[in-house]
Amino acid sequence: MTLHTLIAEPWADYGLVDSGHGRKLERYGRFRFIRPEPQAMWAPASADWRADAEFVPGSDDEGGGRWVYHQPVPHEGWPLHWDDVTFTAHTTPFRHLGFFPDMAPVWGWMRERVAGMDAPECLNLFGYTGVGTLAMAAKGARMVHVDASKKSVEAAKDNALLSGLADAPVRWIVDDAAKFVAREGRRGRRYDGILLDPPKYGRGPTGEIWKLDEGLPDLIAGCRRLLDAESRFLFLTVYAVRMSALAIGELLRQALGDLGGEIEMGELATREEARGLVLPTAIWARWKR
């Protein structure tokens, strides 16, 4: 199998400035941040890493840590833009800033898959703050956005307002993704495209426990029941686990192979501005027609 790399290039409001020695320096609009990055094993291009804040990881294995601020950063966040979508960036207790910039090539790819369709209907599972949902809605897709966190769904609605998409045809749903997919299957619902960005571990709104390595096969099987001969894509990303792109590619092949089309897999990466090297961030697999 051939592995592909999807590279997020810098854009006006985001860039990976430099990376190395287990850290990365990024710009988010007018602010700069330093965050841990274990895959940046090389030396940085520059020793001058002035930043507005840095995330200092904790000493435990649970991914804890805290932000150390060197300059004032708006607690309520600040607006950023990607293409025709506007959303709020802000520092979070989980070391990221309210969205995942390495997903930019995925947003563009999904738009391409449904280009020319009349109001395609797509599903965004684990939709978080909704940038992927809004990227599709801005091009006329009817979206179903599902996340177990009420706070994340409210943030996604706020981003829709910022983007001028408050009246777009989006169903905002607070629910456990696996349970929602199972119910949609029983209802006989179908979608033109599905985006999945599941966490390694999570809890549903009523205490359901999600473990990626245990729940992913059944979730993919459930998604298969929501796709048909007219569907265009399914895109799966996996972060922060010891798992291979080849493994999730085979999972999709077995679950979706009867639909025809193509299965592809590979890595997500972000291009560094200092030298042009690419920093790997996640693995992915996708089905497309």
Side-chain angles (χ1 to χ4, degrees):
M1 295 182 184
T2 301
L3 298 178
H4 306 272
T5 304
L6 292 180
I7 302 172
E9 303 289 350
W11 73 85
D13 275 359
Y14 173 79
L16 172 62
V17 178
D18 197 0
S19 63
H21 292 166
R23 301 188 302 164
K24 57 186 175 183
L25 173 65
E26 300 164 290
R27 56 175 179 84
Y28 289 78
R30 67 186 188 275
F31 300 105
R32 290 189 171 202
F33 300 93
I34 298 171
R35 296 192 290 159
E37 182 46 72
Q39 302 218 67
M41 295 180 284
W42 44 79
S46 170
D48 181 12
W49 274 33
R50 284 172 289 183
D52 296 282
E54 178 174 358
F55 189 89
V56 179
S59 58
D60 55 54
D61 296 327
E62 299 302 319
R66 62 189 178 91
W67 286 99
V68 176
Y69 295 92
H70 307 302
Q71 299 291 335
V73 175
H75 178 72
E76 69 280 6
W78 60 99
L80 296 182
H81 308 275
W82 177 83
D83 199 68
D84 47 2
V85 176
T86 303
F87 50 93
T88 297
H90 60 95
T91 54
T92 75
F94 311 105
R95 81 179 60 195
H96 54 76
L97 285 102
F99 77 106
F100 299 101
D102 57 341
M103 289 290 290
V106 181
W107 305 330
W109 181 84
M110 293 191 300
R111 285 178 163 187
E112 293 171 1
R113 300 314 307 163
V114 298
M117 297 184 70
D118 182 22
E121 186 162 11
C122 300
L123 173 62
N124 187 0
L125 296 171
F126 310 97
Y128 193 40
T129 57
V131 183
T133 295
L134 299 174
M136 297 295 283
K139 296 303 182 185
R142 292 174 293 137
M143 296 298 299
V144 178
H145 176 104
V146 181
D147 198 282
S149 167
K150 182 179 180 180
K151 183 177 180 181
S152 292
V153 172
E154 290 302 316
K157 292 179 181 179
D158 290 342
N159 286 334
L161 185 62
L162 283 176
S163 297
L165 294 168
D167 296 325
V170 180
R171 292 171 58 203
W172 305 104
I173 297 174
V174 178
D175 201 352
D176 175 78
K179 288 186 175 180
F180 178 82
V181 165
R183 286 199 305 274
E184 291 288 88
R186 291 194 293 270
R187 294 168 182 148
R189 288 290 302 274
R190 52 85 56 194
Y191 290 92
D192 293 298
I194 301 176
L195 172 64
L196 304 96
D197 187 17
K200 177 180 179 180
Y201 177 86
R203 287 186 178 274
T206 57
E208 303 92 339
I209 294 177
W210 163 264
K211 294 182 180 180
L212 181 71
D213 55 347
E214 296 177 3
L216 187 58
D218 285 346
L219 181 62
I220 295 298
C223 287
R224 164 62 187 89
R225 290 188 283 273
L226 306 183
L227 301 169
D228 62 20
E230 303 301 319
S231 299
R232 297 294 183 90
F233 74 85
L234 180 145
F235 200 105
L236 165 68
T237 57
V238 173
Y239 289 82
V241 296
R242 293 186 62 186
M243 194 176 291
S244 166
L246 293 172
I248 61 174
E250 179 61 22
L251 178 63
L252 292 197
R253 190 192 68 79
Q254 292 191 14
L256 280 65
D258 64 308
L259 286 170
E262 299 177 61
I263 303 290
E264 297 176 324
M265 67 216 74
E267 295 195 21
L268 287 183
T270 304
R271 191 179 306 280
E272 182 193 274
E273 293 178 323
R275 295 164 289 191
L277 60 77
V278 293
L279 175 68
T281 58
I283 58 174
W284 57 267
R286 67 190 182 192
W287 166 79
K288 66 178 182 179
R289 189 185 304 285

